[in-house]
Amino acid sequence: MKTNPLQGIGHGVLALFGAVGRLALFALEATSHCVRPPLYPRLLLRQMVEIGFYSLPVVGLTGLFAGMVLALQSYTGFSRFSAESTIPTVVVLSITRELGPVLAGLMVAGRVGAAMAAEIGTMRVTEQIDALTTLSTNPHKYLIVPRLLGGFLMLPFLVLVADIIGVFGGYLVSIYKLGFNPEAYITNTFEFLEVMDVVSGLVKAAVFGYLIALMGCYHGFHSKGGAQGVGKATTNAVVTGAILVLVFNYVITEAFFAQ
Amino acid sequence: MSAPASSRAGGANEPKIALRGVCKAFDGAVVLEGLDLEIGTGESVAVIGCSGVGKSVMLKCLLGLLRPDAGSVTIDGAELSANRAAREAAMRRIGMLFQSAALFDSLPVWENVAFGLIQAQGMGRGEAREIAVETLAQVGLGPDAADLYPAALSGGMRKRVGLARAIATRPEIILFDEPTTGLDPIMADVINDLIVACVRELGATALTITHDMASARKIADRIAMIHDGAIIWQGPAAEIDSSGNEHVEQFINGRADGPIRLAVADGAHA
């Protein structure tokens, strides 16, 4: 049967607007519950531990090796111009402004976003979310709000840790492999570092944390069709979470540093 | 072909639960088409019907989990879909046993049972635990089960915990979604006995949806049959064998031949 290509485009555009609208309404409702009692401090604490504490190893390792390889690669390039002394500054600015928040965000999107989508998706397909409603408990408040707040509050903490470990990684390679003077390296690290460099990274982290949790919760909450549906929701949560991290990284960088 | 659906309630008294002219369709597929059902206070009604015929959709409309396309759903005369506050107020008076029990995996058994007491009624955790252990005893589970997680429970135990959760808040209305599905006949009978005992003790109004005739006969005062999106017969449980309705006779005797022709694929939403 011959189909009109305009019809296909129209369907695609309408589906896109529909999806964005549903996500926006979900985000609006969930966010509005963040400032309306009752809140669940025990659940928030559990999510903060789940997101913050249990992500420390993966985020720490990511920061460490990012800092190490950054120092190594910078040396390879900058030694050609005899500009090795700028390596500490390059490492600390790259880590605090970009690599810390983005790499931590991507790792958390994979670890936490997937876990949220799988857990909430399983609750959806096993009627546990319906059960919450029948027990006079708002699923947005009980399930979504602690995760959104947990992501929003804990990702800056994780990024701060990644920043410190990343700079330390650059220090280790510079001192023990490239033969830098430790005191001079530390002095150069902090000489050109400004508060805004760190703050911009932490602001990014808070936004990324919110977006990753939002994607995990949204896709889990709307999953259907049993195990296959939960798997699809998990994949979608990770993919959309990672893409939003990259998109909003540019948007926030533009807002902070564009002249 | 089929006798007209009789209306049990009537007179001046408002029924406890009333579904009137309820219609619901999903993507053009009609599931409920003008369904009428009234349940009096303290009455136990079982709705029977084939798989995919709309029993669960009816229950979800009653719980406010689905909004009917048309018709009204009232509890004590109050329209459920009027606003969120009305729905939430109604929820506080309803207990529900889900088909799969729908226990919260992340919580131990006692917290599952006490969930409504802690979250909806604001009860302290210590007091709620005591009530949860008492309620577990009511459904035949000892205090040692209280600290287990749902993953460690058998199918029968899960149903018992689900029942304990449904009655822990002492609701006025209890809904049972396929309470004996997936259980062996002996455990199914145990669950049926527990349901009868709990409903009687609470003096609650009960609505059970099932396709297990043994369960329906045991639990219900009245049985209604749903087919093609509407109630096609209803009457006292004792009279179901002499219903005179071909659909009911085919269903209760489990015959493949008869007026009910099953679709190859069940409806996705029902």
Side-chain angles (χ1 to χ4, degrees), chain A residues 29 33 36 40 42 46 119 122-123 126-138 142, chain B residues 60 63 65 84 91-92 94 96 98-100 102-107 115-116 119-120 125 165:
Chain A
E29 171 153 20
H33 281 297
R36 281 187 288 163
Y40 297 97
R42 290 166 66 94
R46 188 188 295 172
E119 186 179 359
T122 304
M123 290 186 75
T126 56
E127 296 183 308
Q128 291 178 52
I129 293 180
D130 290 344
L132 276 177
T133 306
T134 64
L135 291 162
S136 304
T137 303
N138 187 316
Y142 189 81
Chain B
K60 286 183 177 178
L63 285 166
L65 297 172
R84 181 179 281 192
M91 280 303 118
R92 282 193 281 275
I94 296 178
M96 168 87 189
F98 285 85
Q99 184 175 351
S100 60
L103 302 179
F104 305 126
D105 300 322
S106 58
L107 300 178
F115 194 92
Q119 303 300 343
R125 293 171 65 81
R165 184 174 70 181

Side-chain angles (χ1 to χ4, degrees), chain A residues 147-171:
Chain A
R147 285 167 172 80
L148 288 185
L149 288 178
F152 181 78
L153 295 173
M154 291 318 288
L155 215 65
F157 159 75
L158 285 170
V159 166
L160 199 59
V161 171
D163 287 352
I164 294 166
I165 295 178
V167 170
F168 180 65
Y171 172 87

Side-chain angles (χ1 to χ4, degrees), chain B residues 35-76:
Chain B
L35 182 137
D36 294 302
L37 182 68
E38 294 183 349
I39 303 172
T41 303
E43 191 184 17
S44 179
V45 172
V47 175
I48 58 172
C50 302
S51 299
V53 83
K55 302 189 297 293
S56 294
V57 171
M58 179 193 74
L59 210 58
K60 286 183 177 178
C61 288
L62 176 54
L63 285 166
L65 297 172
L66 290 174
R67 187 184 287 265
D69 299 333
S72 79
V73 180
T74 62
I75 291 178
D76 283 333

Side-chain angles (χ1 to χ4, degrees), chain A residues 96-97 101 156 159 163 196-206 208:
Chain A
T96 53
R97 283 185 174 205
V159 166
D163 287 352
M196 192 50 75
D197 297 323
V198 179
V199 169
S200 69
L202 298 184
V203 170
K204 283 180 180 181
F208 295 167

